[in-house]
Amino acid sequence: MSNVRKPYDLSEIKIPRGEIHLIKDRCKGCGFCVEYCPNNVLEVSDEFSEKGYHPPVVANPERCLNCGLCEIVCPEFAIWSTLKEEVEASIEG
Amino acid sequence: MKANPGDVFTGSYYIDGDVAIAYGAIAAGCKFLAGYPITPSTEAAEAFTKRTPEVGAIFVQMEDELGSIAAVLGASWAGKKVMTITSGPGFSLIMENIGLGAAIETPFVVINVQRGGPSTGIPTGAGQADMMQSRWGSHGDYEVITLAPDSPQEAFEFTIKAFNLAERYRVPVMLMADECVGHMTEKVVVPPASEIEVENRKYYGGAKDAYFPFKRGAGLVPPMAKAGEGYGLYITGLTHDEEGHPILDRDLKEATLRASIDKIRLNADKIIELKEDRVDDAEVVVVSYGITSRVALKAIEMARKEGIKVGALRLVTVWPFPEKRIAELSKKIKGFVVPEINYGQIAFEVDRCSHGNTNVILVPHGGASVHNPEDIFGAIKQAVEAKKRYPQLVSYKTALEKQISG
Amino acid sequence: MAMAEKGKVEEKHPMEQLLRMDRMPHIWCPGCGIGISVTAFVSALKKLEFDLNKMCVVSGIGCTGRVAGYIKLDSFHTTHGRAIPFATGIKMANPDLKVVVFSGDGDLVSIGGNHFIHAARRNIDITVILVNNFIYAMTGGQVAPTTPETAYTTTSPFGNFETPANIPQLAEAAGAVYVARWTALHVRRLEKSIVEAINKPGFSLVEIVAPCSMYYSRINRLGAGIDMMRFYHENSIIKHDEPTENLAVGYQKQIIVGKFIDRERPGFIESNRRWSAEAKG
Amino acid sequence: MRTNFGKVLSGTHNFSGSEACAEGALSAGCGFLAAYPIVPSLEILERFSMRFSDFGAVYIQMEDEISTLAAVLGAAWTGRKAMTVTSGPGFSLMMEHVGLGIMLETPCVIVDVGRFGPSEGIPGKPGQGDVMQMRWGSHGDYEVIVLSPNSPQEMFDLTIRAFNLSEQYRTPVMVMTDETVAHMREEVTIPLVEDIEIIQRRYYKGPKDKYLPFKRDENLVPEMVDIGEGYRFHVTGLTHNEKGYPIIDAETQEANVHAIVNKIRLNSDKIVEFEEDNIENADVVVVSYGITSRDVSEAVQRVRGEGVRVGTLRLITVWPFPEKRITQLAEKIKAFVVPEINYGQICFEVERCARGKAETLSVFHDRSDDNGVSNIIDTIKRALQGSV
């Protein structure tokens, strides 16, 4: 977009890409992680866990920024993210 | 006196023991319940609460059990029939004011739905380990009455009985249920009000300025007066005389304490209630109370099938203890078997009252479940087969105990 | 398949080092806010700059009372209402320890109300994390000292008519030096407050308004835990330094959150030492 | 560790029972006392609050007796020897935490200065109405150790013994005294520090991650660790396994109760202590404890002058009760006489253990009555006549 000015340090900014880890059988399907993921990485799956809950599924893995909110908002210690890579920022992002 | 029809929900219900307790209390005319939630007794308070608007009763959920029992004592002196409902840890917390209640001769009912202990223990499992506490848990000397129901139907009936005894003797009455009875759902028949005998408090009727709160007539139980009716009551937990004044430095003989104990001890024969089954020809008598008496029945049938003559003696009132009856039986039989969901409480009392005339075999159980009838049966066989008089109370080694102690 | 199984075992949640994984799964219901309070606490612990071996957690009875059993520090699950005095004993006997009381509203301000007042008054150097779910959940949903007016519980079947306790106001009046309140939704801010509270010398309190998705929400038909979280999202407002008299919580009304008190007051041990020194001359 | 034993007042002093108790506690290494003021136990806290800083101990007056015992239990887990002091009503308030102390198997000492009860009773007069409460006052099954001193010297000695037993068996131990013993002033000899026998806490020394708070030795007693040493242990008042984790099933409950009860029952012969006098050839034995035993001495002196063969048995440990000895004596004598400042408590236990072999006569020992001692004498005589 031409009307967006390009930050002068754009080349230095690294955007983290996270990887979601999920222990499905700990999930009790409360939906907090799905609801509060700021980048809508997660969705409720149709799958059943061992105890009959619907665990989340990583629907948009490329959008995870490894912010860690899912980890802290999950009451069951079932989900967390780790840093996979850092990518160059771009204004199209 | 008959129960007030408005308080009796006549009918046939399929309810648990806790709810039956609430119905019993309401039928007995209880108009004030103070309590604090504790498993496994909470359902009783919940059931009571739901009925409060219909019968004009008050339920207050206090900040803790100490508050609850104190409120109960206050409400009793304001003229209501009162109770509190609790379980083990809460029961320990009310100990101080049980003593106050006994000292100032206040009628009230305490429901203890016993769970596994000590401490927090097993909240959802049965126990019978507060039986001695119900008699001895507060400091100083006092006497109380303790009842133990073995079914929801009895939970209903005994709650009424508890209120009647409390009012008749101006004394704390403990209904010692257990988690099994509290949570067991069975048919409970609530008869019409005309068939429920309810006793009301004896109030003083004389001149207001001549009223002494602890002055006894022939019957050992002093009549009561309500707060706020011009009697100028002076009630204290300090040791007091007939007028209610503290005696402190005066001679103890002026104190009414002895009389407050004697009103139970000397009336024990009238208070004590037992249920006996096939005791007359028995070689062995199983002494039990509460849920354990139902388990014992099974063991008794097993023994009878093998030709052993076993009788059952069930304590309806656990305190006062049926001293005389136990002593009498001890001379005739080969042994008592005492199953309890504890490591020996009432068994010691049976042992004491047997005066070494017969063997006493405790069947212990740590709690959280009921006895295996096999264990009680085993103890019955041990009692029949015993060749000698044991030097002291013996504890039957149950399968579970064997497994644990290796 | 075997590979996958193996892979599963190797997956380790980053909080596991501070949790008793042999006790999992925990007892809390789906959508309960206590689990989030624990994750916020554990994240806070990771940010602290002292030896966690020197910290212990004391709980009373109730759903939140079970927290001590899941945190892998020296931990005590004590009697109902008495977590604060138990913690006081620990702190007095060994002032080098950091002591955190983690318990519920009924436990700490009803049956334990007296101890709450006096520990704050003495300014005992402990941190109290109080999960307020407006109900006695462990025993099946009875009215609590915090139950909002008109809310239904099993022992207020016709709606609660009692005035609930305003916990931050109580804490302030009694003498607490740090008082904050967040909902279970404000996890990051909550985490920060827990760090601040633990680092603050003296009696600090963090109240967490949390969903009881099983009893409070079911009896009052408020939906699942997620629905209560959405309610917090829409109805909580951050007002730092708000006078605590304004912090009462009504039934499904606005919840004011933030840090309300952060002040200095001599602590019990400090005063005790000063007085002893003076007395000795 | 923190105790400065240089401050132990070795030597002979004229102490009240309360002062002796406080000195005994400090000499035993008591590092923590929490209490709430109640007559007639005040003098113990007063003495302690004057002296604690010399020993590096901690003293805190809590908001009530409930919190007091909770604080003591918390303090005990930091490695300090801890104690509380109270009287009747306060003791009743402690009942729940006696159970927690038993369940967490926490060493601590509870001193109950008996006043006349029930309820507020007569705060300034001695009572022995808490003796059954000591044994049965908290809910659930457990066993306790209760010591009963009858002089200021014993207030000193038995307070130390109480700490020793509590450490040895990892259990709360109670010192049951009474208003008179607490207030009477007598000569008390405090030995040299090296002559005071102290049993230290048994600590676990294995690898930190292998510590099990309830793993038992052959005496069923588990080892302890202190908070803050990196063991990261958990303990709970719920029924628990060796690890200290709550387990809700009958088997764990049985194992838990079994251990708590039997660590005292199976060791009771080692714990039980009593004192006998003129037992040989006695026709009547007077069983007593605490202050009552001193009145018994006087009564017995008098009747012996009349040629009555009477012996005495004084309980030093009231619980565990010397069951076997009473049964043994019952075979040989005609009757037990049991004077107590209550309407009959330990007499029931004597009666039980006598197993019908000897009679048991209870005496309400009214110390406010000039005839207190002669009531005991009369009962001794009645016991002799009754059986002849």
Side-chain angles (χ1 to χ4, degrees):
Chain A
M1 281 185 262
S2 55
N3 58 348
V4 177
R5 273 187 290 161
K6 183 183 172 189
Y8 71 94
D9 59 348
L10 185 68
S11 59
E12 289 161 36
I13 293 175
K14 296 272 191 271
I15 296 183
R17 293 272 177 235
E19 188 181 1
I20 305 282
H21 303 260
L22 175 70
I23 300 177
K24 276 182 204 158
D25 291 334
R26 281 190 197 162
C27 176
K28 290 184 193 161
C30 69
F32 293 172
C33 56
V34 176
E35 176 91 7
Y36 294 107
C37 170
N39 239 11
N40 296 325
V41 174
L42 302 164
E43 277 175 15
V44 177
S45 69
D46 297 331
E47 201 185 334
F48 285 100
S49 71
E50 209 174 58
K51 297 195 183 74
Y53 297 109
H54 292 294
V57 64
V58 184
N60 305 302
E62 71 291 349
R63 300 183 67 165
C64 176
L65 298 174
N66 193 32
C67 73
L69 194 78
C70 56
E71 176 189 331
I72 196 172
V73 89
C74 171
E76 309 295 332
F77 316 104
I79 191 168
W80 70 98
S81 66
T82 51
L83 184 67
K84 192 166 77 180
E85 56 181 346
E86 287 185 322
V87 296
E88 305 270 318
S90 73
I91 47 173
E92 285 80 36
Chain B
M1 277 285 285
K2 299 296 175 196
N4 172 16
D7 294 339
V8 181
F9 304 111
T10 306
S12 188
Y13 298 92
Y14 191 60
I15 50 178
D16 70 20
D18 281 350
V19 177
I21 286 168
Y23 286 11
I26 293 169
C30 175
K31 289 286 186 272
F32 184 88
L33 164 66
Y36 186 81
I38 185 165
T39 306
S41 72
T42 316
E43 292 84 346
E46 288 172 355
F48 188 93
T49 320
K50 292 201 183 83
R51 296 291 200 180
T52 48
E54 292 163 72
V55 298
I58 292 169
F59 166 72
V60 50
Q61 187 180 305
M62 295 293 284
E63 61 276 15
D64 57 17
E65 287 87 348
L66 293 103
S68 301
I69 187 78
V72 156
L73 294 180
S76 183
W77 278 94
K80 298 254 197 269
K81 288 190 183 179
V82 297
M83 73 167 170
T84 186
I85 299 175
T86 191
S87 180
F91 197 57
S92 284
L93 282 172
I94 66 175
M95 282 305 136
E96 192 196 13
N97 272 335
I98 295 279
L100 178 62
I104 61 176
E105 304 187 44
T106 309
F108 64 93
V109 172
V110 175
I111 311 288
N112 179 359
V113 186
Q114 298 174 88
R115 59 195 228 182
S119 196
T120 316
I122 290 193
T124 51
Q128 294 183 321
D130 311 349
M131 300 310 295
M132 285 302 243
Q133 189 190 17
S134 76
R135 166 82 179 81
W136 298 111
S138 192
H139 62 284
D141 272 296
Y142 62 99
E143 288 276 351
V144 295
I145 299 174
T146 297
L147 307 169
D150 79 348
S151 62
Q153 180 68 40
E154 278 196 357
F156 171 80
E157 289 166 10
F158 287 13
T159 305
I160 299 172
K161 197 189 291 283
F163 276 95
N164 289 348
L165 287 167
E167 297 296 337
R168 190 186 309 159
Y169 292 107
R170 250 185 93 170
V171 72
V173 179
M174 324 264 169
L175 183 82
M176 305 293 280
D178 49 64
E179 187 273 341
C180 279
V181 170
H183 283 168
M184 157 197 291
T185 301
E186 278 185 352
K187 185 175 161 187
V188 173
V189 179
V190 178
S194 58
E195 289 170 24
I196 298 177
E197 206 55 53
V198 161
E199 239 173 280
N200 289 323
R201 199 169 293 182
K202 273 182 211 75
Y203 283 110
Y204 171 77
K208 292 211 168 172
D209 53 352
Y211 175 65
F212 292 166
F214 303 100
K215 192 177 161 86
R216 276 148 239 271
L220 283 168
V221 186
M224 268 183 101
K226 282 183 206 175
E229 300 207 326
Y231 291 96
L233 297 175
Y234 178 17
I235 308 295
T236 172
L238 291 163
T239 302
H240 44 255
D241 61 13
E242 281 185 349
E243 287 184 61
H245 297 164
I247 65 162
L248 296 179
D249 284 327
R250 283 184 288 147
D251 199 323
L252 260 182
K253 287 198 176 71
E254 294 171 47
T256 59
L257 179 57
R258 177 85 218 200
S260 77
I261 290 170
D262 283 347
K263 76 180 174 188
I264 303 303
R265 289 195 185 166
L266 302 180
N267 283 314
D269 289 346
K270 283 188 239 164
I271 300 167
I272 289 168
E273 208 175 310
L274 300 172
K275 291 198 176 168
E276 290 183 7
D277 176 25
R278 290 174 281 185
V279 163
D280 292 337
D281 67 335
E283 311 168 84
V284 175
V285 171
V286 180
V287 181
S288 61
Y289 54 93
I291 189 65
T292 309
S293 57
R294 293 175 69 154
V295 184
L297 267 184
K298 170 87 182 157
I300 289 166
E301 292 313 323
M302 287 159 86
R304 285 257 166 193
K305 239 175 238 165
E306 291 205 0
I308 306 172
K309 288 179 182 161
V310 199
L313 185 149
R314 185 150 78 78
L315 307 171
V316 172
T317 50
V318 179
W319 303 109
F321 191 76
E323 244 173 83
K324 288 182 199 156
R325 184 62 182 148
I326 295 287
E328 215 172 79
L329 286 174
S330 72
K331 290 179 196 142
K332 297 196 275 191
I333 60 168
K334 290 181 95 170
F336 283 115
V337 169
V338 190
E340 304 182 80
I341 308 182
N342 60 45
Y343 263 53
Q345 297 200 0
I346 296 305
F348 287 124
E349 201 59 14
V350 175
D351 188 35
R352 175 176 76 82
C353 301
S354 304
H355 301 294
N357 295 328
T358 188
N359 287 334
V360 180
I361 302 174
L362 159 74
V363 190
H365 190 298
S369 66
V370 294
H371 285 79
N372 183 345
E374 293 283 350
D375 284 329
I376 304 174
F377 177 47
I380 294 170
K381 275 201 288 195
Q382 189 185 336
V384 175
E385 288 159 11
K387 295 277 183 306
K388 59 176 178 33
R389 189 69 46 76
Y390 299 131
Q392 53 196 348
L393 173 88
V394 292
S395 181
Y396 180 78
K397 212 146 183 111
T398 62
L400 197 52
E401 210 190 341
K402 270 184 210 152
Q403 181 192 327
I404 279 149
S405 54
Chain C
M1 197 60 204
M3 285 282 286
E5 289 282 280
K6 202 182 163 203
K8 221 183 201 171
V9 175
E10 277 168 8
E11 295 259 83
K12 262 201 152 186
H13 191 279
M15 293 183 185
E16 290 195 7
Q17 47 169 327
L18 286 165
L19 296 169
R20 296 184 194 278
M21 294 316 292
D22 49 350
R23 291 292 297 154
M24 297 296 164
H26 56 59
I27 62 157
W28 301 306
C29 311
C32 171
I34 300 170
I36 310 182
S37 310
V38 172
T39 54
F41 177 60
V42 172
S43 318
L45 290 183
K46 289 180 168 181
K47 296 206 162 56
L48 293 170
E49 285 168 357
F50 59 79
D51 181 4
L52 289 182
N53 282 338
K54 295 280 174 204
M55 175 182 265
C56 68
V57 181
V58 186
S59 288
I61 297 294
C63 292
T64 319
R66 289 302 195 93
V67 167
Y70 300 115
I71 306 280
K72 201 169 178 184
L73 300 174
D74 290 344
S75 56
F76 293 83
H77 181 227
T78 65
T79 44
H80 195 21
R82 320 301 169 193
I84 289 179
F86 200 99
T88 301
I90 293 173
K91 184 69 189 177
M92 291 301 96
N94 187 353
D96 298 339
L97 301 173
K98 280 274 177 193
V99 189
V100 175
V101 170
F102 210 131
S103 218
D105 50 316
D107 192 62
L108 291 173
V109 299
S110 184
I111 187 168
N114 193 30
H115 312 307
F116 183 89
I117 292 168
H118 291 282
R121 175 182 67 78
R122 294 189 177 104
N123 202 14
I124 306 275
D125 182 17
I126 57 175
T127 297
V128 175
I129 300 174
L130 186 157
V131 177
N132 179 0
N133 58 6
F134 304 128
I135 206 160
Y136 284 94
M138 184 64 106
T139 45
Q142 292 76 31
V143 70
T146 45
T147 306
E149 262 178 85
T150 73
Y152 294 104
T153 69
T154 62
T155 50
S156 61
F158 314 108
N160 180 33
F161 53 86
E162 292 182 29
T163 307
N166 173 344
I167 293 170
Q169 190 185 17
L170 177 65
E172 185 196 10
V177 292
Y178 182 97
V179 180
R181 172 200 278 164
W182 300 103
T183 75
L185 179 70
H186 299 85
V187 257
R188 290 288 182 212
R189 290 183 171 90
L190 173 59
E191 175 197 309
K192 184 166 165 259
S193 266
I194 293 174
V195 171
E196 282 178 7
I198 292 174
N199 285 329
K200 178 94 186 172
F203 186 89
S204 51
L205 169 75
V206 180
E207 181 190 0
I208 306 168
V209 175
C212 169
S213 51
M214 187 55 73
Y215 294 104
Y216 187 69
S217 87
R218 190 180 278 181
I219 299 169
N220 289 293
R221 301 177 192 279
L222 301 176
I226 187 77
D227 299 305
M228 297 181 79
M229 292 285 266
R230 286 185 188 126
F231 175 81
Y232 300 154
H233 189 116
E234 286 153 21
N235 295 283
S236 57
I237 173 165
I238 301 175
K239 283 189 187 175
H240 292 303
D241 301 320
E242 178 75 1
T244 54
E245 66 197 55
N246 301 335
L247 296 176
V249 181
Y251 179 65
Q252 293 298 87
K253 297 224 171 78
Q254 188 183 62
I255 302 169
I256 300 173
V257 295
K259 179 169 84 178
F260 311 115
I261 305 289
D262 193 348
R263 60 182 171 184
E264 310 299 322
R265 223 161 64 78
F268 182 89
I269 294 174
E270 196 184 310
S271 306
N272 182 306
R273 283 188 185 143
R274 187 158 47 81
W275 279 93
S276 308
E278 277 175 24
K280 277 187 186 166
Chain D
M1 271 309 174
R2 297 171 185 91
T3 307
N4 178 358
F5 285 104
K7 303 286 184 177
V8 170
L9 297 176
S10 303
T12 300
H13 309 267
N14 187 23
F15 274 158
S16 73
S18 301
E19 287 164 344
C21 175
E23 292 298 333
L26 289 164
S27 305
C30 172
F32 185 94
L33 181 132
Y36 186 82
I38 182 166
V39 174
S41 71
L42 300 173
E43 292 78 3
I44 302 176
L45 353 172
E46 284 167 5
R47 178 82 187 179
F48 197 93
S49 65
M50 269 166 56
R51 293 266 291 149
F52 75 97
S53 55
D54 293 346
F55 285 77
V58 173
Y59 168 73
I60 180 168
Q61 185 180 310
M62 295 293 284
E63 56 272 18
D64 57 24
E65 284 90 347
I66 299 175
S67 54
T68 296
L69 192 50
V72 162
L73 298 179
W77 278 92
T78 69
R80 285 179 187 260
K81 292 184 180 177
M83 166 165 104
T84 185
V85 175
T86 191
S87 180
F91 191 60
S92 284
L93 284 171
M94 289 179 184
M95 284 305 124
E96 193 193 12
H97 282 123
V98 167
L100 182 67
I102 298 277
M103 202 62 156
L104 301 187
E105 305 190 42
T106 307
C108 65
V109 172
I110 303 166
V111 179
D112 175 32
V113 185
R115 65 191 223 182
F116 194 78
S119 195
E120 303 313 309
I122 308 180
K125 280 189 184 172
Q128 296 180 324
D130 313 350
V131 52
M132 284 303 250
Q133 186 193 20
M134 298 265 164
R135 169 76 182 85
W136 300 110
S138 189
H139 61 285
D141 263 306
Y142 61 96
E143 286 275 352
V144 287
I145 302 176
V146 177
L147 307 175
S148 176
N150 79 343
S151 66
Q153 180 66 50
E154 276 200 352
M155 284 290 273
F156 179 86
D157 297 339
L158 293 187
T159 303
I160 296 177
R161 177 138 200 263
F163 275 102
N164 286 346
L165 287 167
S166 81
E167 296 295 346
Q168 196 175 348
Y169 294 102
R170 234 187 100 172
T171 187
V173 173
M174 297 159 196
V175 177
M176 182 183 72
T177 178
D178 51 66
E179 182 273 337
T180 310
V181 171
H183 286 161
M184 74 169 41
R185 203 163 267 283
E186 274 183 357
E187 198 169 90
V188 174
T189 303
I190 299 182
L192 295 172
V193 175
E194 54 270 30
D195 294 336
I196 298 175
E197 198 204 326
I198 303 283
I199 296 179
Q200 296 297 356
R201 189 165 297 182
R202 277 176 43 244
Y203 279 109
Y204 166 82
K205 292 189 187 71
K208 296 216 162 169
D209 55 340
K210 295 280 185 302
Y211 174 61
L212 299 170
F214 299 100
K215 187 176 164 56
R216 293 160 201 290
D217 65 6
E218 68 284 1
N219 281 326
L220 295 173
V221 185
E223 291 174 324
M224 268 185 102
V225 297
D226 291 346
I227 307 175
E229 301 286 323
Y231 292 94
R232 303 215 177 165
F233 62 94
H234 177 64
V235 292
T236 171
L238 285 162
T239 297
H240 46 253
N241 60 7
E242 279 188 339
K243 243 179 166 174
Y245 289 176
I247 307 285
I248 306 291
D249 65 35
E251 217 169 283
T252 314
Q253 169 72 9
E254 187 86 24
N256 208 156
V257 172
H258 187 270
I260 284 173
V261 168
N262 284 327
K263 76 175 175 182
I264 307 297
R265 277 192 197 167
L266 301 180
N267 290 307
S268 65
D269 287 348
K270 285 184 251 170
I271 302 167
V272 166
E273 196 180 336
F274 51 84
E275 198 178 72
E276 289 177 343
D277 182 40
N278 277 41
I279 286 284
E280 300 309 315
N281 306 321
D283 293 323
V284 173
V285 169
V286 186
V287 180
S288 63
Y289 51 94
I291 185 62
T292 306
S293 64
R294 296 171 74 120
D295 299 323
V296 166
S297 307
E298 196 191 321
V300 165
Q301 290 284 313
R302 282 205 239 156
V303 284
R304 275 188 198 141
E306 296 169 29
V308 176
R309 292 190 302 181
V310 55
T312 58
L313 187 148
R314 177 166 77 88
L315 306 171
I316 294 173
T317 51
V318 177
W319 303 107
F321 189 76
E323 211 168 306
K324 286 181 197 155
R325 184 58 183 156
I326 296 287
T327 307
Q328 230 170 39
L329 286 176
E331 300 276 354
K332 297 191 283 189
I333 65 165
K334 287 180 180 157
F336 291 106
V337 169
V338 191
E340 306 173 78
I341 313 178
N342 60 45
Y343 293 105
Q345 296 200 6
I346 280 298
C347 66
F348 291 126
E349 197 61 13
V350 174
E351 184 188 12
R352 181 178 76 81
C353 299
R355 313 204 65 72
K357 297 289 188 325
E359 254 190 284
T360 305
L361 286 98
S362 160
V363 188
F364 171 62
H365 182 50
D366 183 355
R367 287 197 102 237
S368 69
D369 187 348
D370 295 338
N371 299 322
V373 171
S374 46
N375 283 341
I376 299 176
I377 294 172
D378 290 350
T379 315
I380 293 171
K381 288 182 182 165
R382 197 151 50 83
L384 280 167
Q385 286 159 5
S387 339
V388 167

